[in-house]
C-alpha cells in the first residue's frame, strides 16, 4: 500500500508541474499585450508600457516561468491585478464557501445515484431500469445553469419554497444554511446523478454476470445478501473512480450555479476576475482547482486500492 | 459505419469486404438504431432545431436584435406570451420567439466545428500514443493527464480573457480542450486493435507506421470515433452555452441561448420567466437530443 501511494503521489506531482506549465503557457505565452488587455484600446501607449513593466510581463519568458514555478512551490500566486492584494487568501476564503456548496451537492447525489444505479442493474431492461437510464442521460447532459433556472422558476418563484439567493444571512445556523444552499446544490447534484448512476449500474451488471456471484446464488444466499456481501465491493470500484474525477469538475460547473444564485464563492470570484482581466487570480483559480482534482482522484485511487487488492499489487510493482 | 468488419482479418479489411455486404451492414446498424426509442426521439428533436435554424435565416416574425415597432423602453414592460408574441418579449422589447429561433443558428455554427477539431486532433494524438507506445506514449499521456486535471470551463475562461471573445476563438479553445479527452478514448481503442493479426501482417509487409495507423487501424476504430464525435458535439453545446452564460462566449446582441439566459435571468425573481425559460428549454432539449443519439450510437456501434 505504501509503495502504491508513493508511486501514485510522484505521478501526481509530475502532473501538477505540467498542469501549472499549461496554465502558464495560456496566461503568458499566447501573443497578447496584457497591459493593453487590461487598460483597453483607448489607453495611451505610455500607460500600457508602464503597467506591463510593473506587472513584469516584459521580463524574459524564462524569468516569468521561474517566477510562476516559485509561486507554485510556495503556493503564493502573487498579487491581484485588480486590488493589489495577494490572491491566495481571497481565493481560499471563496473556495471554502464553494466547498460547502459542493459538499452538500455530493451528499445529495452520491447515495441517491448509487442506490438508483444498483437498483437499475438488478431490474435490467425492465421499465424502471429504462426510466433511470433515461433520467440519467437527460440529467447529466443539461448544463448546471439551465437546471438552476428551472429550479428558480418552479421551486423558488412559483412555489416559493426556497430562497432564490444562496447567501445565508450572517450567523445563520446549519438548518438555515442548508435551506439557502439546497437549490444550487440540487442543480449541481442533478448533473452528477447521471454519471454516478451510470457507473454504478454498469459495474453492478458486470459483477452480477461473474462466476462467483453465480456460486453465491447457488449456495443459497438471498439476492440481497449476494448484493451486499459479494457484489457491492467490486461493482462500486468504477463508481468511486468517477466520483473522484467529478469532484474536480464540480468546481467548473459551480461557476454558472453561483452566478444564478449570486453566491459569493470561487465561481463568482473567477467571473469577477475575468471581467477585470485579473490574470493572477484566474491562474491561481485554475491551478488550485487542478490541485483539488488531483487530491480527489488520489484519494479515490487509494480507496479503490483498499477495496480491490489486485489494483494495489499491480500498480505497486 | 461498417461495424461488422471490426474483427475482419487481412490487410485493409474495409476494402476486402464487398460493397454490397457493407451496405447490408449499414442497413442493419440503421435498423438497430431505429428500434431504440431514445435515438429516434433525439433525431426528431435535433431535426426540429436544424429546421428552425434554417428557417430563421429565411424569415422570423420580428427582427431578433431590435425592439418590435412601437415599443418604448421607458414605459413598457416585458410582455408575457400571447398570440402576437408566442414566447413574449424580453426587457428590451425583443420578440423571444424570434430570438430563440435565430439562436438555433449559433448552436449549429459553433458547436459542430469545435467538436470536429477536438475529435480530429484527439484521434491523431490517440493513434500516435496507442501505436508507438513507449516513451512517446508516456510523455504524451502525462500531458493529457495534466489537461484532464483542469476543468474545461475554468481554462476556457482564462483563455478567452487572454485572447478576447469571438466565435472563432470559442471554437478553437473548446476544440483544443476536448482533444485530450478524445485522445485518451482513441488510445485505448488503438491499444486493443494493435494486437490483432492484421496489424502484425501489415508490419511484416513493411508498411510504414503512419500508413498502418491511418489506413489499417483508423477504419477499424471508426465506430468509437463516430460515438465520440456525437458525445463531443453534445458537450460542445453544453460548454459553449455555459461560456456564453458566463459572459465570455458569444457577445450581445447575439440571440445565442446561453447569452439570452445570462441577460434575462435576474428578472425571474419578479415573475418575468419567459425570456429565460424558453432559451433555457431550447438548450436543454438540444443537448438531451444529442446525448440520446450518442447513447443509441454507443450501444449499437460498440456491440
Amino acid at each position: 500500500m505504501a509503495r502504491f501511494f508513493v508511486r501514485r503521489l510522484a505521478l501526481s506531482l509530475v502532473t501538477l508541474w505540467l498542469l501549472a506549465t499549461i496554465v502558464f503557457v495560456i496566461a503568458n505565452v499566447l501573443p497578447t499585450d496584457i497591459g493593453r488587455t487590461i487598460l483597453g484600446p483607448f489607453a495611451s501607449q505610455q500607460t500600457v508600457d508602464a503597467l506591463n513593466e510593473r506587472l513584469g510581463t516584459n521580463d524574459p519568458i524564462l524569468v516569468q516561468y521561474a517566477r510562476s514555478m516559485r509561486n507554485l512551490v510556495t503556493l503564493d500566486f502573487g498579487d491581484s491585478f485588480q486590488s493589489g492584494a495577494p490572491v491566495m487568501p481571497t481565493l481560499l476564503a471563496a473556495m471554502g464557501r464553494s466547498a460547502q456548496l459542493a459538499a452538500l451537492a455530493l451528499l445529495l447525489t452520491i447515495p441517491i445515484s448509487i442506490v438508483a444505479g444498483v437498483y437499475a442493474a438488478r431490474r435490467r431492461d425492465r421499465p424502471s431500469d429504462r426510466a433511470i437510464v433515461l433520467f440519467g442521460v437527460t440529467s447529466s447532459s443539461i448544463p448546471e445553469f439551465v437546471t438552476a433556472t428551472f429550479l428558480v422558476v418552479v421551486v423558488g418563484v412559483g412555489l416559493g419554497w426556497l430562497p432564490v439567493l444562496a447567501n445565508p444571512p450572517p450567523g445563520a445556523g446549519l438548518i438555515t444554511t442548508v435551506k439557502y444552499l439546497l437549490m444550487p446544490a440540487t442543480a449541481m447534484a442533478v448533473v452528477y446523478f447521471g454519471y454516478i448512476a451510470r457507473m454504478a449500474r454498469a459495474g453492478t451488471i458486470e459483477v452480477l454476470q461473474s462466476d462467483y456471484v453465480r456460486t453465491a446464488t447457488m449456495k443459497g444466499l438471498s439476492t440481497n445478501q449476494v448484493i451486499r456481501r459479494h457484489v457491492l465491493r467490486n461493482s462500486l470500484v468504477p463508481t468511486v473512480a468517477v466520483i473522484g474525477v467529478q469532484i474536480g469538475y464540480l468546481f467548473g460547473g459551480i461557476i454558472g450555479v453561483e452566478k444564478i444564485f449570486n453566491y459569493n464563492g470561487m465561481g463568482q470570484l473567477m467571473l469577477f476576475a475575468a471581467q477585470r482581466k485579473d490574470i493572477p487570480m484566474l491562474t491561481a483559480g485554475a491551478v488550485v482547482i487542478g490541485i483539488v482534482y488531483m487530491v480527489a482522484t488520489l484519494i479515490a485511487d487509494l480507496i479503490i486500492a483498499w477495496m480491490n487488492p489486485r489494483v494495489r499489487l499491480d500498480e505497486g510493482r | 459505419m461498417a461495424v461488422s468488419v471490426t474483427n475482419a482479418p487481412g490487410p485493409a479489411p474495409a476494402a476486402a469486404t464487398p460493397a454490397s455486404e457493407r451496405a447490408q451492414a449499414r442497413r442493419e446498424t440503421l435498423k438497430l438504431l431505429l428500434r431504440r426509442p431514445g435515438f429516434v426521439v433525439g433525431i426528431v428533436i435535433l431535426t426540429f432545431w436544424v429546421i428552425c435554424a434554417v428557417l430563421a435565416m429565411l424569415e422570423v416574425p420580428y427582427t431578433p436584435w431590435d425592439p418590435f415597432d412601437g415599443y418604448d423602453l421607458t414605459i413598457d414592460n416585458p410582455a408575457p406570451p400571447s398570440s402576437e408574441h408566442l414566447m413574449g418579449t424580453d426587457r428590451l422589447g425583443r420578440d423571444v420567439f424570434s430570438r430563440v429561433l435565430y439562436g438555433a443558428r449559433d448552436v449549429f455554427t459553433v458547436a459542430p466545428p469545435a467538436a470536429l477539431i477536438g475529435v480530429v486532433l484527439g484521434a491523431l494524438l490517440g493513434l500516435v500514443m496507442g501505436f508507438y507506445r513507449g516513451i512517446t506514449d508516456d510523455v504524451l499521456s502525462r500531458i493529457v493527464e495534466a489537461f484532464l486535471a483542469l476543468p474545461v470551463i475554468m481554462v476556457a475562461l482564462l483563455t478567452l480573457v487572454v485572447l478576447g471573445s469571438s466565435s472563432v476563438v470559442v471554437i478553437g479553445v473548446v476544440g483544443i480542450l476536448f482533444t485530450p479527452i478524445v485522445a485518451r478514448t482513441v488510445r485505448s481503442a488503438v491499444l486493443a486493435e494493435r494486437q490483432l493479426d492484421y496489424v502484425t501482417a501489415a508490419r511484416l509487409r513493411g508498411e510504414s507506421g503512419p500508413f498502418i495507423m491511418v489506413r489499417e487501424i483508423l477504419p477499424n476504430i471508426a465506430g468509437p470515433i463516430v460515438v465520440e464525435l456525437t458525445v463531443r458535439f453534445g458537450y460542445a453545446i453544453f460548454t459553449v452555452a455555459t461560456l456564453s452564460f458566463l459572459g465570455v462566449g458569444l457577445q450581445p446582441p447575439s440571440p445565442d441561448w446561453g447569452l439570452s439566459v445570462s441577460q434575462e435571468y435576474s428578472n425571474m425573481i419578479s415573475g418575468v420567466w419567459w425570456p429565460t425559460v424558453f432559451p433555457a428549454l431550447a438548450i436543454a432539449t438540444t443537448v438531451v437530443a444529442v446525448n440520446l443519439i450518442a447513447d443509441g450510437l454507443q450501444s449499437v456501434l460498440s456491440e
Side-chain angles (χ1 to χ4, degrees):
Chain A
M1 196 76 182
R3 202 166 175 182
F4 171 77
F5 178 74
V6 168
R7 202 186 119 89
R8 189 62 185 65
L9 191 67
L11 279 179
S12 295
L13 290 177
V14 174
T15 310
L16 180 61
W17 163 66
L18 284 169
L19 169 161
T21 306
I22 294 169
V23 173
F24 172 81
V25 169
I26 296 172
N28 302 77
V29 180
L30 289 180
T32 338
D33 184 341
I34 292 184
R36 178 60 70 192
T37 312
I38 296 171
L39 295 173
F42 304 112
S44 74
Q45 191 56 45
Q46 262 174 331
T47 17
V48 172
D49 290 344
L51 183 63
N52 277 332
E53 189 62 39
R54 192 163 62 81
L55 299 176
T57 55
N58 289 341
D59 297 345
I61 204 74
L62 282 179
V63 173
Q64 293 189 46
Y65 183 63
R67 198 158 51 212
S68 93
M69 286 300 117
R70 198 191 57 211
N71 287 349
L72 175 65
V73 173
T74 57
L75 284 179
D76 164 18
F77 291 88
D79 298 339
S80 159
F81 283 178
Q82 176 63 23
S83 64
V87 295
M88 265 325 246
T90 320
L91 181 65
L92 288 181
M95 279 199 81
R97 287 187 291 272
S98 290
Q100 287 182 13
L101 186 52
L104 185 59
L106 290 172
L107 212 60
L108 288 173
T109 202
I110 293 177
I112 297 178
S113 338
I114 290 182
V115 169
V118 173
Y119 179 79
R122 287 180 57 183
R123 318 264 312 165
R124 195 179 175 189
D125 288 335
R126 299 215 214 144
S128 50
D129 172 34
R130 293 262 164 82
I132 290 172
V133 169
L134 185 66
F135 181 73
V137 172
T138 310
S139 70
S140 60
S141 45
I142 300 177
E144 293 89 345
F145 79 93
V146 174
T147 315
T149 56
F150 295 149
L151 285 173
V152 167
V153 167
V154 177
V155 183
V157 179
L159 301 169
W161 286 351
L162 291 169
V164 292
L165 296 175
N167 289 317
L174 183 66
I175 307 266
T176 322
T177 309
V178 168
K179 199 174 141 196
Y180 275 85
L181 294 183
L182 196 54
M183 228 175 359
T186 309
M188 289 160 64
V190 166
V191 175
Y192 298 104
F193 172 85
Y195 293 110
I196 302 173
R198 182 184 289 206
M199 275 299 166
R201 178 180 178 273
T204 308
I205 285 178
E206 203 186 316
V207 174
L208 280 177
Q209 288 167 343
S210 67
D211 289 338
Y212 67 86
V213 168
R214 196 179 316 143
T215 312
T217 315
M218 293 210 290
K219 79 182 184 201
L221 292 184
S222 74
T223 317
N224 280 330
Q225 280 174 315
V226 173
I227 297 265
R228 229 176 310 126
R229 288 206 206 149
H230 295 277
V231 176
L232 286 184
R233 193 186 173 95
N234 286 306
S235 72
L236 292 184
V237 165
T239 312
V240 173
V242 88
I243 292 172
V245 171
Q246 294 303 340
I247 287 176
Y249 291 145
L250 213 63
F251 282 91
I254 212 169
I255 306 180
V257 173
E258 288 187 2
K259 181 173 176 184
I260 290 268
F261 292 96
N262 199 23
Y263 185 66
N264 58 356
M266 64 139 289
Q268 289 278 66
L269 184 69
M270 290 299 117
L271 282 181
F272 191 74
Q275 280 156 14
R276 281 154 190 78
K277 323 278 184 206
D278 192 348
I279 291 174
M281 185 64 92
L282 288 168
T283 317
V287 174
V288 170
I289 298 173
I291 295 175
V292 169
Y293 170 94
M294 281 188 322
V295 171
T297 45
L298 184 64
I299 293 173
D301 278 359
L302 288 177
I303 295 176
I304 290 170
W306 168 75
M307 284 167 78
N308 187 347
R310 271 172 301 187
V311 176
R312 62 174 177 257
L313 290 178
D314 272 1
E315 301 258 333
R317 239 176 254 145
Chain B
M1 287 276 116
V3 184
S4 62
V5 297
T6 305
N7 293 318
T17 330
S20 62
E21 218 169 288
R22 264 186 296 151
Q24 173 80 19
R26 254 200 298 270
R27 266 200 303 278
E28 301 241 316
T29 309
L30 191 66
K31 216 157 74 186
L32 278 176
L33 283 172
L34 291 179
R35 226 181 275 156
R36 304 182 67 88
F39 180 82
V40 176
V41 171
I43 291 284
V44 169
I45 299 176
L46 200 64
T47 313
F48 168 79
W49 283 118
V50 171
I51 292 172
C52 286
V54 174
L55 284 185
M57 278 185 264
L58 302 175
E59 184 162 348
V60 279
Y62 300 87
T63 8
W65 298 279
D66 303 320
F68 63 89
D69 288 343
Y71 181 85
D72 185 347
L73 198 60
T74 52
I75 45 170
D76 289 331
N77 289 320
S82 63
S83 57
E84 210 172 319
H85 298 284
L86 286 178
M87 296 180 179
T89 62
D90 66 12
R91 72 196 156 86
L92 296 175
R94 298 173 298 195
D95 181 55
V96 176
F97 181 59
S98 306
R99 285 178 65 78
V100 168
L101 284 187
Y102 221 87
R105 205 190 50 154
D106 286 335
V107 171
F108 293 108
T109 46
V110 176
L116 197 64
I117 291 177
V119 170
V120 169
L121 293 181
L124 288 177
L125 198 59
L127 276 169
V128 169
M129 288 162 71
F131 184 74
Y132 287 111
R133 309 271 316 263
I135 185 85
T136 323
D137 186 28
D138 285 344
V139 170
L140 289 174
S141 285
R142 292 264 67 83
I143 297 175
V144 162
E145 204 51 33
F147 260 102
L148 291 177
L150 293 162
V152 170
I153 298 288
M154 192 58 228
V155 181
L157 196 66
L158 174 65
T159 317
L160 288 165
V161 166
V162 172
L163 290 180
S165 292
S166 74
S167 301
V168 178
V169 180
V170 171
I171 290 171
V173 168
V174 174
I176 288 173
L177 289 179
F178 280 176
T179 303
I181 312 173
V182 181
R184 197 169 57 168
T185 314
V186 173
R187 174 182 175 270
S188 48
V190 174
L191 283 183
E193 244 1 81
R194 80 194 287 276
Q195 295 171 340
L196 298 178
D197 289 345
Y198 74 85
V199 178
T200 320
R203 273 224 190 106
L204 291 176
R205 279 200 309 276
E207 281 168 12
S208 70
F211 182 88
I212 300 178
M213 277 190 275
V214 177
R215 297 296 299 275
E216 305 274 358
I217 298 179
L218 190 60
N220 285 308
I221 55 169
I225 290 181
V226 169
V227 172
E228 197 55 33
L229 187 63
T230 330
V231 172
R232 283 305 127 205
F233 177 40
Y235 275 109
I237 301 176
F238 185 119
T239 310
V240 173
T242 303
L243 290 174
S244 292
F245 172 71
L246 297 180
V248 291
L250 303 178
Q251 297 298 314
S254 159
D256 178 77
W257 296 334
L259 185 64
S260 302
V261 173
S262 127
Q263 295 187 306
E264 300 288 341
Y265 79 95
S266 52
N267 292 331
M268 285 190 297
I269 300 172
S270 41
V272 184
W273 52 270
W274 52 92
T276 308
V277 167
F278 288 116
L281 274 175
I283 298 172
T285 49
T286 318
V287 275
V288 169
V290 174
N291 278 287
L292 286 175
I293 295 172
D295 204 47
L297 283 174
Q298 187 151 36
S299 41
V300 171
L301 291 188
S302 61
E303 262 159 24

